Structure formats: C-alpha cells, structure tokens
Amino acid sequence: MQHLDTYKTKGLRKALVEGLKNKGIASTSVLSSIEKIPRHLFIDSSFLEFAYQDRPFPIGEGQTISQPFTVAKQTELLQVKPKEKILEIGTGSGYQASVLVELGAKVFTIERHRNLFLKTKELLKNLKYNAKCFYGDGYAGLPNFAPFDKIIVTCGAPFVPEALKEQLKIGGIMVIPEGEDVQKMNVYTKLSDTEFSCEEHGDFRFVPMLESRK
Ligand code: SAH
C-alpha cells in the first residue's frame, strides 16, 4: 500500500477545499480535515485526478464514495467535537469515517457489503485512521456500543430506523438523507426518549440504504 501524498495531490486538495468554501462550507475544522486527508488513497489508484473533483466516484460493488461537498456538508451538520462517540451507517470507502476520526471523534462504522467491509477495514488500519469497522446491517445499529453522541447515515434511507433513534443520546444529533430517488438531508435532535426536532437541509442523491445483506 502506497502512502504517497505529493505536491500534486496536496495542490489538488487545496483547490478542492477552495471550491467547497465557495459552495458554502464554512467550518474551518471540516475544511482543514479535508485538506489533510489524501482522498486519492480511498479510490482506485489509476483514477487519481478524479479523487479531487467534487463528484462521487465508484468504489466497487455498485457503491460510491460520496461527493466531497456531501461529506463536508454532512460533517458540518454533525457539529463534531473531539472525543464524541459517532456511529456511521455505510462505511463504503472509509473516507467519511476518516474525516470524523481526523476531527477527534471515536468512530464506529457499519457496512453491509462484506468485500467493502474487509477492504476498507484494512485500508483504515494501514492509514492509521482508527475507526472501528463492523460488518452488519445499519438498520439495527450497534446496540452493544450505544448510546452515541451523534449518528450519520451515508446512504439514502427510506425512513429513520427505530434502532438508530433509540441508540442516540438525548441531546444528540442524527444526520440522515431521507427519501427514495432524491433525499432530503434531515438533521434530527433527540429532545427526550420519544421526541425529536427535525431541520431540513436541501436535496441530495445517495445510493440506497438496503435492508437485507447480499
Ligand atoms: N461513507 C461512505 C459512502 C459510501 S456509499 C464513504 O465515505 O465512502 C454508502 C454505503 O452504504 C455503501 O457502501 C453501501 O453498501 C452501504 N449500505 C447500504 N445499505 C446499508 C445498510 N443497511 N447497512 C450498512 N451499510 C449499508
């Protein structure tokens, strides 16, 4: 595994961050995490240039690494603070998980595709982004590690899974794209065991959150 980060990739990343600022990302901690993380190591090495365009990109198994703007927006909405325990649904390439680790969070991430789970677990270990990777179904969350300060869902959810509502701390935030073809980026705050407030933050497109494993 090459850990190559060159002048060129650093330069491309700087330009990407400028682009994200222009698109309205304001959090300096989120922007500096994106500037630090070599996104090209999370996709196939023959597509280096694509890693720093603001687009999603295929990562195998019919899945994609989310567009940088989407990662930046979801992370900003999550208002991450160091030491927070965060659950991610949809590990995929591991890039979003690495951004959360870079921000100082304790990250737990679930992936339902076994090959992606195995590949990404190894990659994150090699890159020393110490997220805890789990192979399983995001609809069930991780009851043994709950409650979480924050939950981030990175696939399009048809509804908010009940288990995830339960596994969020009171006062905690869940960022979840909800809908079928196009998703609304919804931010829920847990007010009590049974009450949530919800804010909507625009339209996004994600690969679907699927119920049963392949
Ligand atoms: N956060 C990822 C985005 C990957 S795309 C990244 O930074 O690259 C969304 C991922 O969610 C896919 O890998 C898909 O396999 C996974 N996924 C879909 N339904 C799921 C479920 N029910 N549980 C866990 N993961 C799921």
Side-chain angles (χ1 to χ4, degrees):
M1 152 108 247
Q2 275 190 324
H3 291 187
L4 227 52
D5 198 19
T6 59
Y7 253 143
K8 180 177 171 182
T9 47
K10 283 182 184 146
L12 289 169
R13 217 149 57 233
K14 235 184 171 43
L16 172 67
V17 166
E18 281 311 307
L20 294 175
K21 272 191 209 164
N22 293 336
K23 289 178 186 174
I25 302 299
S27 162
T28 50
S29 60
V30 172
L31 291 167
S32 72
S33 298
I34 290 177
E35 190 157 342
K36 270 191 210 141
I37 301 175
R39 190 170 188 270
H40 62 284
L41 301 179
F42 294 79
I43 68 171
D44 191 294
S45 58
S46 27
F47 298 102
L48 190 142
E49 302 277 344
F50 290 93
Y52 296 111
Q53 296 176 5
D54 191 18
R55 299 196 210 164
F57 197 79
I59 53 170
E61 312 293 339
Q63 306 305 321
T64 55
I65 179 171
S66 301
Q67 178 177 348
F69 176 76
T70 304
V71 173
K73 186 73 190 173
Q74 285 199 281
T75 311
E76 189 168 72
L77 291 171
L78 213 54
Q79 300 174 39
V80 182
K81 293 181 199 75
K83 307 256 161 60
E84 278 180 339
K85 225 170 114 184
I86 302 185
L87 173 64
E88 179 194 28
I89 309 302
T91 313
S93 68
Y95 179 70
Q96 171 73 72
S98 303
V99 172
L100 299 173
V101 169
E102 187 66 51
L103 288 167
K106 261 185 92 180
V107 181
F108 297 73
T109 180
I110 312 179
E111 174 55 53
R112 70 183 278 285
H113 266 292
R114 191 163 173 81
N115 290 344
L116 279 178
F117 157 75
L118 292 170
K119 189 173 158 194
T120 299
K121 188 180 152 105
E122 191 60 23
L123 176 75
L124 293 181
K125 198 174 118 200
N126 287 335
L127 295 177
K128 303 202 165 42
Y129 286 114
N130 295 320
K132 291 193 182 6
C133 295
F134 296 82
Y135 171 51
D137 180 9
Y139 281 93
L142 288 175
N144 295 341
F145 296 89
F148 297 94
D149 296 295
K150 308 275 167 74
I151 298 179
I152 176 171
V153 178
T154 67
C155 34
F159 54 86
V160 184
E162 218 37 57
L164 300 187
K165 286 186 183 171
E166 279 167 20
Q167 291 170 29
L168 189 62
K169 276 187 195 167
I170 292 174
I173 294 175
M174 177 171 3
V175 176
I176 177 167
E178 261 183 282
E180 301 287 342
D181 296 333
V182 179
Q183 293 84 33
K184 298 276 177 215
M185 188 62 75
N186 286 336
V187 179
Y188 289 91
T189 303
K190 186 163 176 171
L191 305 173
S192 72
D193 277 333
T194 52
E195 292 161 298
F196 290 79
S197 65
C198 179
E199 261 180 36
E200 205 183 282
H201 288 267
D203 289 344
F204 289 80
R205 269 175 205 277
F206 285 78
V207 294
M209 181 169 181
L210 300 170
E211 206 131 355
S212 59
R213 288 183 216 171
K214 280 215 169 129

